[in-house]
Amino acid sequence: MIDDSDIQILAKYMPQFPTGSVWLVGAGPGHIGLISAMGLFALKQADVIIYDALVNKAFLQFIRADAETIYAGKRGGKPSSTQQNITDAIVKYAQQGKRVLRLKGGDPFVFGRGGEEVEALAKANIKFLAVPGITAGIGGLAFANIPATTRETNQSITFLTGHDASGIIPSAIDWSNLAKGAQTIVMYMALKNIGEICDRLMAGGRERHEPIAFIRNASLPDQQVWQTNLAEASEFVQMHGITPPAIVIIGGNIALRSRVIDYALPFYQQVSG
Ligand code: SAH
């Protein structure tokens, strides 16, 4: 187990967390074991922790007794003015001379608006450190026993979001070219537009029978994994009532899962992936 002497060792390698600065930390997809040592260190140091809806509340057990916590819950589809409030709060606490930990789900710079937050900090003359996290589109696959790549199936991965700032299917993506050029596709926030996404991919030449998998609440105790094919995906999501947060994967690499699943150890004391 990790004790104080381990923390002392880690501390030797950690950068400064100066007062009046912000650490933007990725917490990983949810499992408490998937935060980085640097993130854990930041939790123990921070004066203020501003955390998102997708961050596991169990992390708050690590914070100092006198630290302040702020829930910055914001789920898809809500007005973007909320992001402004979050950014304002981060700036405000840093300007008060606090060590601010901005804890975000997954990786802060993957579909997480971390870029906007550090730009706001730069504008306000506030120093920051961006600490990477395990993004759901990678970490979620491991606990579902779906390798992101296998030599036989794919030499590339494409990450995309299923909706843009206004909630509609991103028009900046050339779906026809994507269908032809991409191998494995890993999609965030893709449930809402799943029918249209699959239609466009099939129109662009993807096979109707190509496997598609859904991982809901990846790495959490109630993780669920489903598999179907592109042609049936939309109806499947409806029928099984699959709701966010979920990662959607399209590609031949999904097939390996069924060959190994019986040998996968559980990632909690009870649950298996
Ligand atoms: N920065 C985050 C992504 C934030 S966008 C990251 O790097 O993972 C929010 C989307 O991420 C969700 O709608 C879902 O598509 C995905 N996501 C985040 N956590 C997840 C989880 N535990 N299980 C499944 N999907 C998740």
Side-chain angles (χ1 to χ4, degrees), residues 29 54 105-107 110-112 135-136 188-189 215-218 220 245-247:
L54 281 177
D107 183 281
V110 178
F111 304 126
T135 190
Y188 297 68
M189 298 173 276
I215 312 171
R216 179 170 193 278
N217 278 337
L220 292 165
I247 285 292

Side-chain angles (χ1 to χ4, degrees), residues 182-232:
Q183 295 181 299
T184 289
I185 304 173
V186 174
M187 307 197 285
Y188 297 68
M189 298 173 276
L191 289 178
K192 193 171 136 216
N193 296 326
I194 195 66
E196 194 174 351
I197 290 170
C198 291
D199 285 350
R200 290 192 190 197
L201 291 174
M202 289 183 289
R206 301 296 279 237
E207 288 290 337
R208 296 173 57 78
H209 294 293
E210 181 163 7
I212 180 168
F214 303 87
I215 312 171
R216 179 170 193 278
N217 278 337
S219 83
L220 292 165
D222 58 347
Q223 169 177 299
Q224 285 173 287
V225 183
W226 298 267
Q227 189 185 326
T228 179
N229 60 48
L230 282 190
E232 288 162 29

Side-chain angles (χ1 to χ4, degrees), residues 138-150:
I138 294 286
L141 272 61
F143 277 167
N145 303 297
I146 298 171
T149 68
T150 79

Side-chain angles (χ1 to χ4, degrees), residues 81-138:
S81 65
T82 323
Q83 178 65 39
Q84 188 61 49
N85 297 341
I86 297 168
T87 310
D88 290 348
I90 300 169
V91 168
K92 183 187 84 183
Y93 284 104
Q95 281 171 341
Q96 287 173 5
K98 304 272 171 59
R99 279 168 296 185
V100 182
L101 168 53
R102 173 68 174 118
L103 194 60
K104 296 171 79 76
D107 183 281
F109 284 165
V110 178
F111 304 126
R113 307 188 71 171
E116 290 164 54
E117 294 180 9
V118 297
E119 278 212 278
L121 292 171
K123 270 204 195 105
N125 260 315
I126 294 164
K127 302 274 192 199
F128 69 89
L129 179 68
V131 179
I134 298 176
T135 190
I138 294 286

Side-chain angles (χ1 to χ4, degrees), residues 8-263:
Q8 296 305 320
I9 296 169
L10 277 176
K12 288 194 291 188
Y13 296 90
M14 294 298 143
Q16 290 287 318
F17 193 164
T19 55
S21 74
V22 177
W23 277 29
L24 186 73
V25 174
H31 194 296
I32 202 160
L34 295 183
I35 197 169
S36 67
M38 215 179 229
L40 192 62
F41 180 73
L43 277 167
K44 291 184 155 290
Q45 298 266 303
D47 301 309
V48 181
I49 296 94
I50 303 178
Y51 64 98
D52 274 353
L54 281 177
V55 167
N56 190 344
K57 312 282 170 295
F59 283 120
L60 301 179
Q61 295 172 91
F62 292 111
I63 69 174
R64 288 190 352 237
D66 61 335
E68 196 176 333
T69 57
I70 294 157
Y71 173 69
K74 178 174 67 72
R75 297 302 297 269
K78 298 275 163 62
S80 59
S81 65
T82 323
Q83 178 65 39
Q84 188 61 49
N85 297 341
I86 297 168
T87 310
D88 290 348
I90 300 169
V91 168
K92 183 187 84 183
Y93 284 104
Q95 281 171 341
Q96 287 173 5
K98 304 272 171 59
R99 279 168 296 185
V100 182
L101 168 53
R102 173 68 174 118
L103 194 60
K104 296 171 79 76
D107 183 281
F109 284 165
V110 178
F111 304 126
R113 307 188 71 171
E116 290 164 54
E117 294 180 9
V118 297
E119 278 212 278
L121 292 171
K123 270 204 195 105
N125 260 315
I126 294 164
K127 302 274 192 199
F128 69 89
L129 179 68
V131 179
I134 298 176
T135 190
I138 294 286
L141 272 61
F143 277 167
N145 303 297
I146 298 171
T149 68
T150 79
R151 284 204 299 181
E152 294 72 31
T153 57
N154 60 308
Q155 292 72 44
S156 66
I157 312 170
T158 302
F159 295 97
L160 64 86
T161 170
H163 61 72
D164 64 14
S166 54
I168 57 171
I169 183 167
S171 54
I173 296 176
D174 180 338
W175 293 91
S176 167
N177 268 332
L178 180 85
K180 292 173 185 65
Q183 295 181 299
T184 289
I185 304 173
V186 174
M187 307 197 285
Y188 297 68
M189 298 173 276
L191 289 178
K192 193 171 136 216
N193 296 326
I194 195 66
E196 194 174 351
I197 290 170
C198 291
D199 285 350
R200 290 192 190 197
L201 291 174
M202 289 183 289
R206 301 296 279 237
E207 288 290 337
R208 296 173 57 78
H209 294 293
E210 181 163 7
I212 180 168
F214 303 87
I215 312 171
R216 179 170 193 278
N217 278 337
S219 83
L220 292 165
D222 58 347
Q223 169 177 299
Q224 285 173 287
V225 183
W226 298 267
Q227 189 185 326
T228 179
N229 60 48
L230 282 190
E232 288 162 29
S234 180
E235 208 174 305
F236 188 93
V237 166
Q238 288 270 317
M239 200 169 74
H240 292 268
I242 307 176
T243 54
I247 285 292
V248 183
I249 305 130
I250 296 171
N253 55 317
I254 295 168
L256 183 136
R257 177 172 195 264
S258 63
R259 302 199 293 270
V260 302
I261 187 79
D262 290 345
Y263 298 90

